[in-house]
Amino acid sequence: QVQLVESGGGLVQAGGSLRLSCAASGMTFSIRPFGWYRQAPGKQRELVARISSTGSTNYASSVKGRFTISKDNAKNTVYLQMNSLRPEDTAVYYCNAEVGAGYWGQGTQVTVSS
């Protein structure tokens, strides 16, 4: 059974940093692409960053240069390092595994105060 468990969210001041983690189980982790998405109140869920099975990455233009996605195959964990956070980064952040129809974690709240 595929499971994704996010952690690391919280409240931070503008300009601060957070690191989100997504622990995956029930899959062959190393061959799967993963993505971090976010959804702010009243807005659609959007892709923030994606990492391929080979480690290639791509980012939304709004976070490029500030966020970094990475993964540790030994720990079956995907990370999202978020620096220079802005109030507009406030959202629930979700991890997605590109397995079959796709699997989602439960989400972790990130709140950036001005």
Side-chain angles (χ1 to χ4, degrees):
Q1 181 181 359
V2 174
Q3 281 194 318
L4 301 172
V5 179
E6 299 105 332
S7 60
L11 173 64
V12 64
Q13 288 189 332
S17 298
L18 285 172
R19 188 177 80 156
L20 306 184
S21 299
C22 172
S25 60
M27 70 180 77
T28 307
F29 180 88
S30 62
I31 66 172
R32 301 299 176 186
F34 289 87
W36 281 100
Y37 290 71
R38 67 186 181 189
Q39 187 166 20
K43 294 188 176 182
Q44 289 189 335
R45 192 172 296 189
E46 62 175 354
L47 176 65
V48 174
R50 181 184 182 272
I51 186 165
S52 74
S53 59
T54 59
S56 298
T57 58
N58 57 282
Y59 299 91
S61 57
S62 58
V63 307
K64 197 171 294 184
R66 300 188 297 124
F67 290 11
T68 303
I69 188 171
S70 63
K71 62 176 185 165
D72 186 333
N73 289 337
K75 296 182 178 180
N76 284 7
T77 301
V78 184
Y79 303 98
L80 185 68
Q81 177 67 43
M82 305 186 295
N83 299 328
S84 302
L85 283 161
R86 305 167 180 169
E88 54 264 37
D89 295 318
T90 295
V92 178
Y93 283 70
Y94 297 91
C95 178
N96 173 264
E98 295 180 15
V99 180
Y103 288 85
W104 296 90
Q106 82 287 355
T108 185
Q109 176 71 47
V110 172
T111 303
V112 185
S113 63
S114 56

